[in-house]
Amino acid sequence: MTMTIDPQATELMKNAGITPRSELVAAIEADVNKIYYGDFLAVRDSHIAIEKGKITGFIGPSGCGKSTVLRSLNRMNDLIPIFRLEGSVTFLGQDIYAPNIDPVLVRRNIGMVFQQPNPFSMSIFENVAFGLRLNRYKGNVADKVEQSLRRAGLWEEVKDKLKQNGLSLSGGQQQRLCIARAIATDPTVLLMDEPCSALDPIATRVVEELMLELKEDYTVAIVTHNMQQAQRVADTTAFFSVDISKGGRTGFLVETGPTKELFSNPKQELTRNYLAGEFS
Amino acid sequence: MTMINFDTGDGTVTHGIRASERISDRLFRAACYTAAAGVILLLVYIAFQIGVKALPAMQDYGFSFFTTQTWNAQKQEFGILAEIWGTLYSSLLALVIAGVFGVSVAIFLTQDYLPRWLAQIFRTIVELLAAIPSVVLGLWGIYVLIPVLRPIADFLHDTFGFLGIFSTALPGPGLAPAVIVLAIMVLPTVAAISQDAFQLIPGKVKEAAYGMGTTRREAIFKVFLPTASSGIFASLVLGFGRALGETMALAMLIGNSNQISWSLFAPANTLAALLASSWPEAGPIEQQALLYAAVALLGITLLVNVAGVLIMAFSNKQQVS
Ligand SMILES: Nc1ncnc2c1ncn2[C@@H]1O[C@H](COP(=O)(O)OP(=O)(O)OP(=O)(O)O)[C@@H](O)[C@H]1O
Ligand SMILES: [Mg+2]
């Protein structure tokens, strides 16, 4: 299910000399000048592109604003009243913070998996079918549910108890259920905030393989604290750090590049020091 | 002070528990058991005392007490079928009204429809409803509500009189004003406990719902309501319990008439209202019958609460992981 931009708007964009969206390389382009929580400047000067059909990894020390940036890509931060963004985020060429854009529409097309598993208090089946029903899915819901559970590596464990409450599963199973729920609607972009922190190594591998498989059709952005994971799955890696020099703790993007290059030959001193620390 | 320790064998000491810790733990546990047992004993004691006093009436009237509907002290004929009907019917109707409004209020006050401070003011106002004395609401019902309701009731009776619920006119006191006042009295209970249920929904569930791209209405009806359902159910059970036992306002408003009718405008009676209005002038025989009615009321209330607890235990939906 892809976002249907008003054809008239596309026409206008073309006339205005804006790249038609089929030719865009980036699914999401975020140009963050400043993100505030109330008076607190959480992130500054970070320009980041989430390229189509690729996995972009966000790494960096705790508190540097990875989650904050990720959550502003699908307007999840709108739920926090004191959140304020200066800058722009475009999705397929469309500014998602434009006044005429409904955040609900954005979130239906840019899905999200959270660090804490958060299944709904309903059956396993209904959890996965939730987004399908929301979007009035025309196909066979049961098939789609099974397919999504299989891709999330959970089908074999739950196929005999689809009617059980999703909260009755173990933490790792719940997280895979949440992944199944998020991919069932075929979002254009999938944002994942440390999705594997509740998973054991085997389930982590399943999810990593899923991500690699997903990028054939979708675009993925993932926050991870695991450097090996970033290297295994991310095509592009963005390194964030935190600026404590001015008294506050403001995060910013230090550098971004192809994962191999960033890890083997970082351009910035900050990146080099961080990676040296992580791998020592 | 003696310490209970593991023996490592090489003279080193493991972490122990002081004897005083163990004693205070035991004392605290004993205090908790005593308090809990005291409450249960009190309940049993009250039920027993009333049961003993009602025993003569139980022997005289037996089960037919529940199946007949005359209450005549002269002829010494006593039956509470009409009062049981009136109690259940009025409480159920009040619960439907209070449930719809109470849950709506809970949603309205917890789902960021209002700025926090304004929601807090509304919340306090709803809670203050519970502080209005029953007799004041009864007076309000007589002097304000009934005159307002009568033309409406007459219109409904004239136009839709073929429907059972409108089959009589409102002569004055009757079921409708009693039910409305009852609903007002139950509303704070339902609203307060439902609000708690909504506020207990973890933030990550909200994130999950909005993250799937729900509108606020969809998030509330498809996710939050099911998540809060057991708390809402608990609020309804407690509200129902309150409605069953409510006395003063009902005695003033319901019309105290021993009849069984679906009509919303017919006078009726409830067990609690019967007790309150008949006791002062009752002779010894009628008093025994009234005590028997009190046992019945106690039984119904307990039954409703126990059933509620059992249903909740079996569905157990609001799991917070
Ligand atoms: N809801 C909020 N209200 C106020 N401040 C917040 C909020 N969420 C995050 N912050 C602040 O913003 C900064 C960035 O937080 P963020 O969660 O984005 O970091 P992170 O890089 O994801 O860290 P971690 O790796 O520990 O998850 C932190 O200083 C944090 O305290
Ligand atoms: Mg984070």
Side-chain angles (χ1 to χ4, degrees):
Chain A
M1 205 161 294
T2 48
M3 179 165 152
T4 43
I5 290 181
D6 182 358
Q8 258 186 338
T10 324
E11 193 63 24
L12 283 174
M13 269 163 39
K14 268 188 191 157
N15 293 345
I18 299 171
T19 332
R21 56 200 177 99
S22 56
E23 290 160 32
L24 290 169
V25 199
I28 298 181
E29 206 157 333
D31 206 347
V32 173
N33 283 333
K34 292 184 169 72
I35 295 179
Y36 289 97
Y37 290 111
D39 295 334
F40 173 63
L41 177 61
V43 181
R44 64 167 176 84
D45 309 311
S46 303
H47 181 275
I48 191 160
I50 312 293
E51 283 174 57
K52 270 188 178 173
K54 287 195 177 163
I55 300 179
T56 305
F58 290 17
I59 61 169
S62 188
C64 66
K66 307 178 293 293
S67 301
T68 298
V69 171
L70 192 78
R71 294 161 57 95
S72 52
L73 301 185
N74 72 341
R75 295 193 62 172
M76 271 315 284
N77 276 333
D78 284 31
L79 298 182
I80 302 167
I82 55 172
F83 165 85
R84 203 172 84 241
L85 174 123
E86 284 175 15
S88 72
V89 178
T90 59
F91 171 54
L92 304 174
Q94 168 75 48
D95 181 2
I96 60 168
Y97 282 90
N100 61 335
I101 294 288
D102 186 342
V104 170
L105 175 71
V106 175
R107 297 182 199 131
R108 284 199 185 174
N109 294 286
I110 307 179
M112 187 145 202
V113 175
F114 300 83
Q115 181 171 1
Q116 293 279 323
N118 53 6
F120 297 131
S121 176
M122 50 182 80
S123 73
I124 293 171
F125 184 93
E126 284 304 323
N127 261 284
V128 185
F130 186 87
L132 300 173
R133 303 209 196 285
L134 203 61
N135 291 293
R136 303 198 196 290
Y137 181 64
K138 294 291 185 311
N140 184 324
V141 172
D143 286 351
K144 193 75 185 174
V145 168
E146 176 176 343
Q147 182 204 347
S148 308
L149 283 167
R150 277 190 193 284
R151 295 177 88 176
L154 190 60
W155 175 251
E156 290 303 322
E157 286 156 72
V158 300
K159 64 179 179 196
D160 298 322
K161 49 177 182 181
L162 291 172
K163 285 208 171 73
Q164 270 183 29
N165 194 302
L167 291 167
S168 67
L169 297 173
S170 77
Q173 290 173 326
Q174 289 187 14
Q175 187 64 317
R176 281 176 284 153
L177 179 63
C178 293
I179 293 173
R181 179 179 67 189
I183 60 177
T185 56
D186 295 332
T188 312
V189 179
L190 188 62
L191 308 176
M192 305 176 109
D193 193 349
E194 298 184 48
C196 299
S197 57
L199 301 184
D200 67 45
I202 295 173
T204 300
R205 285 308 178 106
V206 172
V207 172
E208 286 178 7
E209 265 154 42
L210 166 71
M211 284 187 258
L212 293 172
E213 184 198 319
L214 282 179
K215 73 171 181 177
E216 319 234 309
D217 303 311
Y218 317 117
T219 305
V220 179
I222 175 179
V223 173
T224 177
H225 267 132
N226 181 330
M227 295 303 123
Q228 280 79 20
Q229 179 168 65
Q231 284 174 290
R232 281 194 297 263
V233 300
D235 300 295
T236 307
T237 299
F239 172 66
F240 290 80
S241 190
V242 45
D243 193 350
I244 38 179
S245 56
K246 288 170 201 151
R249 289 184 52 90
T250 300
F252 62 101
L253 179 70
V254 177
E255 70 174 294
T256 165
T259 302
K260 278 213 181 70
E261 238 174 271
L262 187 120
F263 276 91
S264 60
N265 190 15
K267 292 193 183 61
Q268 301 291 326
E269 182 81 33
L270 274 170
T271 320
R272 205 170 307 134
N273 292 344
Y274 181 74
L275 292 178
E278 282 290 325
F279 285 103
S280 64
Chain B
M1 199 165 281
T2 45
M3 296 275 276
I4 296 150
N5 271 11
F6 295 109
D7 186 5
T8 51
D10 60 2
T12 56
V13 177
T14 61
H15 294 291
I17 306 171
R18 285 184 306 283
S20 64
E21 280 180 289
R22 289 158 54 83
I23 289 168
S24 68
D25 185 52
R26 278 191 193 155
L27 281 177
F28 181 67
R29 191 163 34 170
C32 290
Y33 278 131
T34 315
V39 171
I40 295 170
L41 280 179
L42 186 66
L43 182 66
V44 172
Y45 174 76
I46 292 174
F48 177 75
Q49 285 292 319
I50 294 178
V52 167
K53 296 253 165 61
L55 205 58
M58 289 182 180
Q59 281 158 350
D60 283 355
Y61 306 106
F63 193 71
S64 71
F65 191 64
F66 301 105
T67 54
T68 55
Q69 48 167 313
T70 10
W71 190 274
N72 189 327
Q74 266 91 47
K75 293 190 194 159
Q76 301 199 351
E77 282 173 16
F78 300 109
I80 55 166
L81 186 61
E83 281 78 12
I84 293 179
W85 164 258
T87 303
L88 293 177
Y89 192 37
S90 63
S91 298
L92 212 60
L93 289 173
L95 189 67
V96 170
I97 300 174
V100 170
F101 280 93
V103 174
S104 309
V105 164
I107 290 173
F108 186 61
L109 294 185
T110 57
Q111 299 306 315
D112 305 325
Y113 282 100
L114 295 176
R116 287 239 166 112
W117 61 272
L118 198 57
Q120 189 55 49
I121 290 177
F122 270 86
R123 204 166 292 148
T124 313
I125 292 174
V126 173
E127 279 162 19
L128 279 179
L129 277 183
I132 303 178
S134 173
V135 67
V136 173
L137 277 174
L139 286 175
W140 175 76
I142 290 174
Y143 289 109
V144 180
L145 189 58
I146 292 178
V148 168
L149 280 180
R150 280 182 81 167
I152 305 171
D154 289 346
F155 167 77
L156 288 172
H157 173 58
D158 291 344
T159 323
F160 302 106
F162 53 90
L163 293 173
I165 52 172
F166 300 136
S167 58
T168 60
L170 184 66
L175 194 62
V179 161
I180 290 174
V181 165
L182 202 50
I184 294 174
M185 302 181 78
V186 172
L187 179 76
T189 308
V190 176
I193 299 174
S194 303
Q195 282 182 64
D196 288 347
F198 278 104
Q199 265 157 351
L200 275 176
I201 297 173
K204 61 180 189 174
V205 173
K206 296 197 172 174
E207 283 192 332
Y210 289 116
M212 288 302 295
T214 57
T215 61
R216 176 148 59 175
R217 194 192 59 76
E218 287 164 340
I220 290 170
F221 284 95
K222 295 186 173 155
V223 179
F224 304 159
L225 260 179
T227 308
S229 61
S230 81
I232 293 171
F233 182 75
S235 80
L236 295 178
V237 171
L238 284 170
F240 195 53
R242 240 207 110 179
L244 289 174
E246 175 44 42
T247 309
M248 199 58 216
L250 284 184
M252 294 165 80
L253 290 172
I254 202 161
N256 302 319
S257 156
N258 268 18
Q259 53 168 323
I260 296 177
S261 163
W262 286 104
S263 173
L264 298 179
F265 307 133
N269 209 354
T270 72
L271 286 166
L274 172 76
L275 288 169
S277 46
S278 304
W279 186 268
E281 279 139 40
I285 307 268
E286 191 180 2
Q287 282 189 351
Q288 285 168 2
L290 286 170
L291 282 164
Y292 193 4
V295 171
L297 178 57
L298 189 64
I300 292 176
T301 318
L302 279 181
L303 216 65
V304 165
N305 279 288
V306 169
V309 169
L310 287 180
I311 294 174
M312 258 184 285
F314 280 115
S315 67
N316 191 26
K317 267 189 150 179
Q318 190 158 20
Q319 297 186 34
V320 178
S321 60

